[in-house]
């Protein structure tokens, strides 16, 4: 199947710092999604991107759909303790199939 | 609006036993997904339904896994018999897809399965 490379695997940052994570794919995607998963819960949708080059914000979160359609990044500005969790990227490929990255574990020190 | 509902939330069984998971999608969502999430990994698709039809079950281990979505609403996923390697979180997600419009998925809380 298609491979999604998500990096970094984990991050330790200080409260108030900005965070950036990204996903790359060997194949073109039609949609990029970013999710956050807390322990014991399902992933919660943060941002959806539908067009190459699209830049979308949701509060302190900003995500972009790469122009090549093979990558996406997520930025979190001014991190706070409740940002702790695992962030997953997902891409929608052919036949409406979704592929997920392996996640970026974010730790925020107060 | 109620989200995706899954039950049970946790299940512990011995290997070779059967197990079933239930999912109720968001009202009006015509597409339903079952994913398996191993520890430290992202979700991997097992099966996708559009209404009652399973349109993608290529990743479903059909020798022991089965699923159904009668009436195009609720769905059940069954494993019989369970093996040790089936221990994982089983996630259900739903979305509304109309024509060629892009869709986004909303996940339930998952069922954490432990096979002893």
């Amino acid at each position: 199947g298609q491979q999604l490379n998500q990096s970094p695997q984990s991050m330790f940052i200080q409260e108030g710092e900005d965070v950036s994570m990204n996903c790359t794919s060997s194949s073109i995607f039609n949609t990029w999604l970013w999710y956050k998963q807390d322990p014991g819960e399902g992933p919660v949708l943060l941002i959806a991107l539908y067009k190459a080059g699209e830049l979308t914000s949701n509060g302190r979160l900003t995500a972009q759909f790469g122009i090549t359609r093979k990558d996406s990044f997520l930025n979190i500005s001014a991190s706070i303790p409740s940002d702790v969790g695992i962030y997953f990227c997902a891409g929608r490929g052919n036949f409406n199939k979704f592929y997920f990255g392996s996640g970026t574990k974010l730790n925020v020190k107060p | 609006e109620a989200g995706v509902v899954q039950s049970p939330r946790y299940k512990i069984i011995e290997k070779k036993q059967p197990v079933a998971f239930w999912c109720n999608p968001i009202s009006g969502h015509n597409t339903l997904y079952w994913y398996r999430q191993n520890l430290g990994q992202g979700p991997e698709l097992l099966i996708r339904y559009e209404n009652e039809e399973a349109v993608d079950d290529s990743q479903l281990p059909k020798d022991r896994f089965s699923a159904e979505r009668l009436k195009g609403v609720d769905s059940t996923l069954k494993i019989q018999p369970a093996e040790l390697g089936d221990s994982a979180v089983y996630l259900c997600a739903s979305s509304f897809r109309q024509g060629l419009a892009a869709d986004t998925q909303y996940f339930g809380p998952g069922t954490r399965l432990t096979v002893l």
Side-chain angles (χ1 to χ4, degrees):
Chain A
Q2 298 183 16
Q3 297 289 325
L4 276 187
N5 295 309
Q6 187 171 349
S7 66
Q9 281 190 323
S10 64
M11 305 179 73
F12 291 83
I13 62 169
Q14 204 71 38
E15 183 178 357
E17 290 183 349
D18 297 344
V19 172
S20 184
M21 58 191 79
N22 69 82
C23 252
T24 59
S25 167
S26 56
S27 304
I28 289 172
F29 283 138
N30 303 312
T31 301
W32 280 96
L33 305 170
W34 284 92
Y35 289 88
K36 178 175 183 269
Q37 188 173 28
D38 292 325
E41 299 296 326
V44 174
L45 182 67
L46 299 174
I47 291 180
L49 303 157
Y50 301 109
K51 290 194 295 191
E54 180 180 353
L55 184 70
T56 296
S57 294
N58 178 8
R60 293 178 296 105
L61 277 60
T62 302
Q64 185 158 29
F65 192 143
I67 199 74
T68 65
R69 296 169 62 192
K70 292 185 177 181
D71 62 322
S72 177
F73 71 75
L74 174 71
N75 287 341
I76 305 173
S77 62
S79 58
I80 59 178
S82 62
D83 291 334
V84 166
I86 303 177
Y87 291 79
F88 289 100
C89 61
R92 181 170 69 94
N94 295 331
F95 309 109
N96 286 306
K97 194 158 185 172
F98 285 85
Y99 300 87
F100 282 77
S102 54
T104 293
K105 189 172 184 179
L106 179 63
N107 298 277
V108 179
K109 288 186 280 188
Chain B
E1 180 183 309
V4 176
V5 179
Q6 288 188 249
S7 69
R9 291 294 310 272
Y10 305 91
K11 189 76 177 177
I12 301 174
I13 62 172
E14 293 191 344
K15 64 181 180 181
K16 300 185 182 179
Q17 294 299 305
V19 65
F21 315 122
W22 176 79
C23 174
N24 180 242
I26 292 173
S27 177
H29 281 192
N30 56 356
T31 305
L32 184 145
Y33 310 76
W34 281 104
Y35 287 87
R36 175 167 58 189
Q37 185 176 25
N38 292 313
L39 191 64
Q41 298 294 320
E44 294 179 326
L45 182 69
L46 291 173
I47 189 167
R48 173 168 65 96
Y49 284 92
E50 288 190 12
N51 300 305
E52 297 120 343
E53 184 184 358
V55 296
D56 185 355
D57 63 357
S58 57
Q59 299 293 103
L60 190 72
K62 298 181 185 63
D63 57 335
R64 297 183 300 107
F65 285 65
S66 64
E68 61 182 12
R69 192 185 183 199
L70 301 176
K71 301 181 182 177
V73 182
D74 295 4
S75 177
T76 56
L77 176 69
K78 297 177 182 176
I79 308 175
Q80 183 171 10
E83 296 179 354
L84 294 176
D86 295 332
S87 294
V89 175
Y90 290 83
L91 293 163
C92 178
S94 71
S95 66
F96 179 71
R97 180 161 183 268
Q98 187 172 33
L100 297 178
D103 58 336
T104 55
Q105 301 169 74
Y106 297 87
F107 283 83
T111 297
R112 180 176 294 278
L113 174 68
T114 302
V115 182
L116 303 175

